[in-house]
C-alpha cells in the first residue's frame, strides 16, 4: 500500500525482499554522495545538524547494553542513583575516576560485580 511518499510493506515482504547492490557498487563516491543528498527522506547530516544533536551519555549506553534499569545499575555498581541520573541526563559529567570506573564496568562487568560482592562478605 502506498500513502503519499511512503510505501508500506509487511514484515514478511521485507524479509523476502532482496537488495541488488550491483548498481550501487558500480557508482563512484561522488555519485553515491549526490544520490544521498538528493534523497529528501534520508539526507546526510550537516555540520549544523551535528552541533544541534545531543550525544547519549556513556553511562546510559553502558547501562542499556547491560540491560539494567537505573536502579539496578546503581545498586550493582555502588553508584548513588542521583549521581547516575545526573550523568545520564547530562547535568554533570563523570570525573576522570568515574570515567575510568565506567570503562572497567563496560569491559568487565562480571569481574566488577564479583569484586564488589566479595568486598561485602566478611572474611573468615
Amino acid at each position: 500500500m502506498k500513502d503519499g511518499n511512503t510505501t508500506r510493506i509487511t514484515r514478511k515482504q521485507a524479509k523476502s525482499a532482496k537488495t541488488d547492490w550491483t548498481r550501487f557498487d558500480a557508482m563512484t563516491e561522488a555519485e553515491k554522495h549526490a544520490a544521498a543528498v538528493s534523497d529528501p527522506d534520508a539526507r546526510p547530516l550537516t555540520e549544523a545538524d551535528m552541533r544541534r544533536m545531543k550525544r547519549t551519555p556513556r553511562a546510559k549506553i553502558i547501562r542499556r547494553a547491560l540491560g539494567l534499569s537505573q536502579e539496578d545499575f546503581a545498586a550493582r555498581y555502588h553508584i548513588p542513583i542521583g549521581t547516575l541520573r545526573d550523568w545520564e541526563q547530562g547535568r554533570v559529567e563523570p570525573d576522570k575516576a568515574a570515567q575510568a570506573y565506567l570503562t572497567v564496568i563496560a569491559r568487565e562487568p562480571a569481574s566488577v560485580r564479583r569484586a564488589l560482592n566479595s568486598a561485602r562478605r566478611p572474611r573468615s
Side-chain angles (χ1 to χ4, degrees):
M1 154 169 66
K2 200 160 175 73
D3 177 21
N5 292 331
T6 304
T7 302
R8 297 174 194 258
I9 59 173
T10 65
R11 235 184 224 151
K12 186 176 181 181
Q13 289 170 319
K15 284 184 179 181
S16 65
K18 299 277 189 258
T19 302
D20 181 11
W21 291 98
T22 55
R23 184 170 157 235
F24 180 78
D25 292 337
M27 297 170 85
T28 66
E29 288 301 316
E31 291 171 328
K32 290 175 187 176
H33 180 73
V37 170
S38 69
D39 183 350
D41 295 325
R43 286 203 171 112
L45 295 173
T46 64
E47 289 296 322
D49 292 333
M50 295 299 280
R51 283 190 301 275
R52 182 178 41 81
M53 296 171 70
K54 291 178 83 175
R55 291 183 176 264
T56 302
R58 187 151 190 260
K60 188 173 198 174
I61 293 169
I62 294 167
R63 179 181 61 79
R64 285 181 171 175
L66 295 173
L68 298 172
S69 67
Q70 285 181 332
E71 293 79 10
D72 291 340
F73 186 86
R76 181 176 293 182
Y77 296 110
H78 301 221
I79 300 170
I81 187 70
T83 300
L84 179 63
R85 287 184 176 142
D86 285 345
W87 292 346
E88 289 194 6
Q89 293 171 9
R91 288 192 293 261
V92 177
E93 282 288 317
D95 61 17
K96 293 291 183 186
Q99 288 176 17
Y101 184 47
L102 289 170
T103 298
V104 174
I105 292 170
R107 293 185 183 163
E108 295 293 335
S111 298
V112 174
R113 187 174 186 191
R114 278 194 309 275
L116 292 172
N117 286 340
S118 68
R120 277 189 181 173
R121 287 188 226 124
R123 295 184 187 237
S124 318

Short mmCIF file of all heavy atoms in Angstrom, two decimals, residues 1 11 25 31 54 70 78 91 97 100 102 110 117-118:
data_model
loop_
_atom_site.label_atom_id
_atom_site.label_comp_id
_atom_site.label_asym_id
_atom_site.label_seq_id
_atom_site.Cartn_x
_atom_site.Cartn_y
_atom_site.Cartn_z
N MET A 1 0.85 -1.16 0.00
CA MET A 1 0.00 0.00 0.00
C MET A 1 0.90 1.23 0.00
O MET A 1 1.91 1.26 0.66
CB MET A 1 -0.90 -0.05 1.23
CG MET A 1 -1.36 1.28 1.70
SD MET A 1 -2.65 1.27 2.92
CE MET A 1 -1.87 0.55 4.32
N ARG A 11 6.18 -7.22 7.42
CA ARG A 11 7.46 -7.79 7.82
C ARG A 11 7.87 -8.94 6.91
O ARG A 11 9.03 -9.07 6.56
CB ARG A 11 7.33 -8.31 9.26
CG ARG A 11 8.34 -7.74 10.16
CD ARG A 11 8.26 -8.33 11.53
NE ARG A 11 8.39 -7.22 12.43
CZ ARG A 11 7.88 -7.15 13.61
NH1 ARG A 11 7.21 -8.15 14.09
NH2 ARG A 11 8.05 -6.10 14.36
N ASP A 25 27.21 -0.54 -6.13
CA ASP A 25 28.66 -0.82 -6.17
C ASP A 25 29.33 -0.22 -7.41
O ASP A 25 30.51 0.10 -7.37
CB ASP A 25 28.91 -2.33 -6.13
CG ASP A 25 28.54 -2.93 -4.78
OD1 ASP A 25 28.51 -2.18 -3.77
OD2 ASP A 25 28.29 -4.15 -4.72
N GLU A 31 29.01 10.01 -7.11
CA GLU A 31 27.64 9.64 -7.48
C GLU A 31 26.84 9.18 -6.26
O GLU A 31 25.67 9.52 -6.11
CB GLU A 31 27.64 8.55 -8.55
CG GLU A 31 28.14 9.02 -9.90
CD GLU A 31 28.35 7.88 -10.89
OE1 GLU A 31 28.70 6.75 -10.45
OE2 GLU A 31 28.18 8.13 -12.10
N LYS A 54 22.29 16.09 20.56
CA LYS A 54 22.94 15.79 21.83
C LYS A 54 23.44 14.35 21.80
O LYS A 54 22.77 13.45 21.30
CB LYS A 54 21.94 15.94 22.98
CG LYS A 54 21.53 17.37 23.24
CD LYS A 54 20.52 17.44 24.35
CE LYS A 54 21.24 17.41 25.68
NZ LYS A 54 20.32 17.59 26.80
N GLN A 70 18.07 1.95 35.79
CA GLN A 70 18.96 2.86 36.53
C GLN A 70 19.15 2.37 37.96
O GLN A 70 20.28 2.37 38.48
CB GLN A 70 18.39 4.28 36.55
CG GLN A 70 18.51 5.01 35.25
CD GLN A 70 17.95 6.42 35.34
OE1 GLN A 70 17.05 6.71 36.12
NE2 GLN A 70 18.49 7.31 34.53
N HIS A 78 27.37 0.20 42.93
CA HIS A 78 27.58 1.10 44.07
C HIS A 78 27.75 2.56 43.64
O HIS A 78 28.66 3.25 44.10
CB HIS A 78 28.78 0.65 44.90
CG HIS A 78 28.66 -0.73 45.44
ND1 HIS A 78 29.05 -1.07 46.70
CD2 HIS A 78 28.19 -1.89 44.88
CE1 HIS A 78 28.83 -2.37 46.91
NE2 HIS A 78 28.31 -2.87 45.81
N ARG A 91 23.46 16.53 33.13
CA ARG A 91 23.61 17.67 34.05
C ARG A 91 25.04 17.76 34.58
O ARG A 91 25.52 18.85 34.86
CB ARG A 91 22.63 17.54 35.21
CG ARG A 91 21.19 17.81 34.81
CD ARG A 91 20.31 17.95 36.02
NE ARG A 91 20.17 16.71 36.76
CZ ARG A 91 19.13 15.89 36.65
NH1 ARG A 91 18.14 16.18 35.83
NH2 ARG A 91 19.06 14.79 37.37
N ALA A 97 38.04 9.72 37.47
CA ALA A 97 37.97 8.44 38.19
C ALA A 97 36.68 7.70 37.84
O ALA A 97 36.70 6.48 37.60
CB ALA A 97 38.07 8.67 39.69
N ALA A 100 36.92 6.26 34.39
CA ALA A 100 37.72 5.03 34.39
C ALA A 100 36.89 3.87 34.93
O ALA A 100 36.93 2.75 34.39
CB ALA A 100 38.98 5.23 35.24
N LEU A 102 33.62 3.55 34.82
CA LEU A 102 32.64 3.17 33.81
C LEU A 102 33.29 2.36 32.69
O LEU A 102 32.68 1.42 32.16
CB LEU A 102 31.97 4.43 33.23
CG LEU A 102 31.00 5.14 34.17
CD1 LEU A 102 30.60 6.49 33.60
CD2 LEU A 102 29.78 4.28 34.45
N ALA A 110 31.14 -8.42 34.82
CA ALA A 110 31.06 -9.54 35.77
C ALA A 110 32.19 -9.47 36.79
O ALA A 110 31.99 -9.75 37.97
CB ALA A 110 31.09 -10.86 35.02
N ASN A 117 31.02 -7.72 45.26
CA ASN A 117 30.32 -8.67 46.12
C ASN A 117 31.27 -9.32 47.12
O ASN A 117 30.90 -9.56 48.26
CB ASN A 117 29.60 -9.73 45.29
CG ASN A 117 28.37 -9.18 44.62
OD1 ASN A 117 27.83 -8.16 45.02
ND2 ASN A 117 27.93 -9.85 43.57
N SER A 118 32.50 -9.61 46.71
CA SER A 118 33.45 -10.24 47.64
C SER A 118 33.92 -9.24 48.68
O SER A 118 34.26 -9.62 49.80
CB SER A 118 34.65 -10.83 46.88
OG SER A 118 35.42 -9.80 46.32
#
